[in-house]
Structure formats: structure tokens, C-alpha cells
Amino acid sequence: MIAGVSRSVRLVPAVSAVLALALTACTGGVHGTPGGSGVRDPYFPRTGNGGYDVTHYDLTLDYDPGRRHLTGTAVITARATKDLSAFDLDLNGLDVAGVTLWGRGVRWNRAGQELTVRPPGDIDKGETFRTTVRYSGTPGTITDPDGSKEGWLPTADGAVALGEPTGSMAWFPGNHHPSDKATYDMAVTVPKGLQAVSNGELTGERTTKGRTTFRWHTAEPMASYVATVAIGHYDITRSTMRNGLPVYVAVTPDEAQASRTTLAKIPEIMEWEEHTFGPYPFSSTGAIVDHAHVSGYALETQSRPVFPGAPDTQSLVHELAHQWYGDSVTPKSWRDMWLNEGFATYAEWLWQEDHGGDTAQEIFDALYKGDYYDDSDDDEAIWAFPPAKPSSAAHISDSPVYERGAMVLHKIRQTVGDDAFFAIIKGWAATHRHGNADTADFTAYVEKKAPHKDFRTIWRDWLYGDGKPGHE
């Protein structure tokens, strides 16, 4: 990770004066305030930025794996949510060569992960503005509070970019908090013979002078933490499901044989998940299977989950379920992780129940009794903290968020019955499709859909309560 470099670029007086007059005419005088750094997330308060909402990222990336050098241009289209005299972008490391606003150079400076842009005049609330950042360097690998690695992860033949929870700021500037989703275009140039795989649809591929550019387009809103680029040698498989949905799968050759049987189940899993969760929210699906050592964890990168080595069926079910719960319905803050992981874990239980394995009730009972895992410490860890209140940033991906989060859903199912429960989880995905939601939104939604049921004990003891709840 490269430390941030404080630096600024100033306009020449003539250009500055012209742009200042233009901005003053648009804004009616200087009356804005800085947007501010951070959005006061309870676990990652420095991530994200105030005062604007990004609507689109247009990223042009050129990567040299031999030197591990990235050159990038980010064109960020955003709408001001207040009158702005300055605004911040998150960017960890990398060297900034220049920043423009509406195509003209502006002042900027660096302080840690913050890139502060200072227009010569205000940006009005409601105004759409376009910022271009040119940057380069060796992208960093970030160590999470729980010790896992994210950001830009070099591999033997390329790299994989993973962003949960803060790693996306290691390879492009932006508003890196899940509450700000945007559409994306990415053009990634790599040495001829390598592939560059990303989210959404491949719209172009062209080789010139020994380098190939891959163009990817994501039309649906996407949180930056589920954006990805995977660069390397991949076996590419393209197919189409019976409903016409494109399937794009990229597998590193050394994992191709081990992955083949599981990846062939993608259409079956997708059809089952559409039946269970409702219409698929994106315009393509698939997977990226990279080297087994790349990360140590799978991630639900939008439309195309990333796996370190060959996945098993349960992992594939889990990450594809996230496309509904986490990618389409995205948490408002990192405190709401159980809305991602509890749902995806419960998807695993439902898959087993529908495919000859243990029922969700049997899994729930084993977890509650404490004999589900081989290690008793794992059984006990489920009760370390309530799923809706992780104890710290280091624990947002611990078992209470996953297994106990799934147990909350099962308690709701027990309370309302199967017909109402499956209507609730489908309706939740549809109501907040391509949006953001938090735990309060979810509990209110459940209570609205089952107004004659009493959920107070579930919320108090299972969702927010410390320790092991009583169970009838």
C-alpha cells in the first residue's frame, strides 16, 4: 500500500477566472460548504463521502502484470445533494496526475485516503457534475480488521480486484460506501493473450500493438465493493439459460477440471433461486474461478461471483443468492451485513431442504443445540453477539452474522408459515430492487406483511439480543 501524497494543481489565472465566472453564473454566488469525508458508517467511518451521489463510473484501466503497474482514468458523473464548495473522493495510494471538473483543471489535494477536489466556485444542489481523475502506480492490497486481504491482489499471471468492505478504493477513486450505487463502464487493457473479466456484459474486445482492451458495461446500479476486475489466463465459457439469460464463466486453467461439475449447475441453481427469491435482478450471470491462494474467500461480485479455487455447490448457491440479497438489495451501512449473509446462508439451508439434504428446521435445531460443527468452539461462537449489532469492524463477517442471521429468518418462517414467509422474502427483494435498505426497513417490512403476528421477541432476543435466546 502506497501512502497518500499531498499535492495540488492550480489553474492558471486566466482559466481559473473564466471557470469561476461560469460557475458563479450557474450557482448565483458562493454559498456552498465542503461535502465532507466519510459518511459516519458505524464500522468504517472514513469510507464514503458526503454532499453528492455518484450515478456513473467510466473507468479506463491499463495494467502491466510484469511491473504490477496500473494506469487509470476515472470519469465520475455525480449529482450534488447539497451546495458544494469542495468534495472528496476515496483513493488509497496511487499517484494522481491531474483532476478536471467539466473538462477543466481544478485544485486538489491528498490526505491519506482522501482526494479533495476544490472547484473555483460552488456546485449547486441538484446539479450534475463530471470529474475526471488521472492516476497511476502499484495498487495496494488492504488488510481488513479481521486479517483478510482485499483491494488489488496480484496473481502469478495478473491480478484480481476485490472490494469488501473497503478494497475498491485501492484501484479507482470514488464514493466507496455501499450506500452510493452507480452504473459502470470499464475498459481494461492488458498484454495480448491475457483476459480481463469484469461485471456485467462484455461489449467489445480489440487487440492493437500487442495489447488487448476488454470493454465491460454494468447497466444496473452497483455498490463499489462488489465491482471487480480479474486479469489473467482464463478458460472462457459462454452460454445462455432457457430464459435467455447470458452466462459468462471464466476459470483459471489449473482449476478448470475441478470446477467443471459444480459450474455446470449454474443454470439449475439460478432457476431454483428465481423460483425461490423472484426475478433475477441483473442482465447476465456467471462466475470467476481464480487461483486457490488468491484470497481465501469467495465474494459476491455483481453478476459474476469470484471464487478462490473450485467452488462447491453450497458456495455457489450462497454467492448467487447474494445477487438478490446484497448486490441488488444493498445494505445502507456495514452494520446491516446480516441482511446479506443471513439471507445467503438461509439460501444454502433451503437448497439442502429442496435437494434431499437436511431441512432448514434440522439445521436450525442442530445449531441451537450446539452439535452442528465438529468443533464446539464454532458452535459457541454463534452466540458471541447479535447479528444486527456486530461487536466491531473485525467481526462483521463472523458466524453470528451468517448462521444466527439465518436463524432469525427461520424464526420468522416459523411464525408466519411457509406461504407468507416466501412471499416476504420475494417481496423484500422486489421492493428494494437495485436500492439500499437497513435492518429497520426489514423489520418494518415484515411487520407490514404479517400485521397480525407478534415479532417483538424475535427482534429483541434473536436479532438484537445478547447471548443465546430462549427457544420453544
Side-chain angles (χ1 to χ4, degrees):
M1 187 184 308
I2 301 175
V5 179
S6 295
R7 181 179 173 189
S8 66
V9 173
R10 297 182 179 273
L11 293 169
V12 297
V15 174
S16 177
V18 171
L19 186 53
L21 286 171
L23 287 170
T24 300
C26 292
T27 63
V30 176
H31 51 269
T33 57
S37 60
V39 292
R40 298 182 180 177
D41 185 273
Y43 300 112
F44 298 92
R46 295 175 58 203
T47 60
N49 300 286
Y52 65 93
D53 175 68
V54 178
T55 57
H56 187 70
Y57 290 96
D58 191 341
L59 306 178
T60 301
L61 308 174
D62 190 304
Y63 187 60
D64 181 346
R67 297 190 300 134
R68 295 188 176 180
H69 187 270
L70 177 70
T71 302
T73 299
V75 180
I76 303 163
T77 304
R79 181 183 58 85
T81 57
K82 59 181 281 189
D83 296 329
L84 288 174
S85 61
F87 60 92
D88 283 26
L89 299 167
D90 299 315
L91 182 63
N92 185 287
L94 300 172
D95 299 317
V96 174
V99 180
T100 65
L101 188 63
W102 296 292
R104 304 191 183 199
V106 291
R107 292 187 300 132
W108 55 272
N109 64 276
R110 300 289 298 277
Q113 70 182 43
E114 299 299 327
L115 167 60
T116 303
V117 181
R118 304 185 184 279
D122 281 0
I123 301 171
D124 265 351
K125 179 180 178 179
E127 184 177 358
T128 296
F129 59 99
R130 187 180 72 253
T131 308
T132 301
V133 181
R134 294 182 295 109
Y135 60 98
S136 63
T138 301
T141 297
I142 296 172
T143 301
D144 288 339
D146 66 1
S148 60
K149 304 294 185 181
E150 57 169 309
W152 194 266
L153 308 178
T155 63
D157 56 354
V160 177
L162 300 177
E164 187 181 65
T166 65
S168 48
M169 71 175 73
W171 56 285
F172 69 98
N175 197 17
H176 292 297
H177 189 265
S179 59
D180 192 356
K181 301 168 71 170
T183 57
Y184 283 71
D185 283 289
M186 295 193 201
V188 188
T189 301
V190 296
K192 181 181 178 181
L194 298 183
Q195 286 85 35
V197 184
S198 188
N199 314 88
E201 284 70 61
L202 181 65
T203 60
E205 179 180 335
R206 182 179 180 183
T207 299
T208 304
K209 297 180 179 179
R211 298 184 69 76
T212 305
T213 299
F214 297 83
R215 297 185 180 277
W216 292 88
H217 175 65
T218 299
E220 301 88 3
M222 178 167 69
S224 64
Y225 81 91
V226 288
T228 191
V229 172
I231 297 168
H233 294 97
Y234 297 103
D235 293 339
I236 306 296
T237 302
R238 306 186 200 199
S239 60
T240 303
M241 289 178 46
R242 289 186 296 184
N243 63 2
L245 186 72
V247 182
Y248 187 103
V249 175
V251 184
T252 190
D254 56 1
E255 296 290 341
Q257 183 174 352
S259 300
R260 187 171 293 111
T261 300
T262 300
L263 294 177
K265 296 179 181 179
I266 288 177
E268 177 189 3
I269 293 170
M270 288 293 298
E271 289 179 3
W272 176 84
E273 292 192 343
E274 282 204 287
H275 173 77
T276 307
F277 308 134
Y280 181 62
F282 304 117
S283 50
S284 67
T285 188
I288 300 169
V289 179
D290 217 296
H291 303 283
H293 62 273
V294 67
S295 63
Y297 59 89
L299 187 64
E300 62 269 23
T301 44
Q302 189 159 304
S303 71
R304 198 151 290 114
V306 172
F307 298 91
D312 59 23
T313 300
Q314 290 296 103
S315 295
L316 191 57
V317 168
H318 184 107
E319 302 305 334
L320 289 175
H322 272 310
Q323 306 306 305
W324 283 262
Y325 308 108
D327 292 12
S328 177
V329 184
T330 303
K332 288 182 180 177
S333 84
W334 291 111
R335 176 174 285 160
D336 305 302
M337 272 281 281
W338 84 275
L339 290 172
N340 295 10
E341 302 302 347
F343 272 85
T345 300
Y346 200 67
E348 294 183 55
W349 299 7
L350 293 174
W351 173 268
Q352 292 180 64
E353 181 173 274
D354 286 352
H355 292 83
D358 292 339
T359 66
Q361 185 65 56
E362 289 170 334
I363 297 170
F364 179 98
D365 290 341
L367 287 167
Y368 190 83
K369 185 179 179 181
D371 60 5
Y372 184 77
Y373 295 104
D374 293 334
D375 189 334
S376 61
D377 289 342
D378 292 334
D379 288 310
E380 188 63 29
I382 294 171
W383 315 111
F385 56 82
K389 292 196 304 181
S391 53
S392 72
H395 299 291
I396 63 170
S397 294
D398 284 4
S399 60
V401 174
Y402 286 67
E403 280 76 23
R404 188 168 164 184
M407 294 174 88
V408 169
L409 295 176
H410 193 69
K411 292 295 291 184
I412 296 170
R413 182 182 177 186
Q414 289 177 325
T415 301
V416 302
D418 278 9
D419 289 347
F421 175 75
F422 287 104
I424 285 171
I425 62 174
K426 284 182 179 179
W428 173 249
T431 299
H432 294 280
R433 182 181 175 98
H434 300 318
N436 293 86
D438 60 17
T439 300
D441 294 324
F442 178 71
T443 57
Y445 182 84
V446 172
E447 290 172 358
K448 180 180 178 181
K449 294 301 178 181
H452 304 299
K453 300 294 184 179
D454 187 352
F455 298 97
R456 288 175 295 180
T457 299
I458 298 176
W459 306 153
R460 184 192 67 218
D461 296 346
W462 287 88
L463 189 55
Y464 286 105
D466 293 321
K468 186 175 182 179
H471 174 48
E472 296 178 359

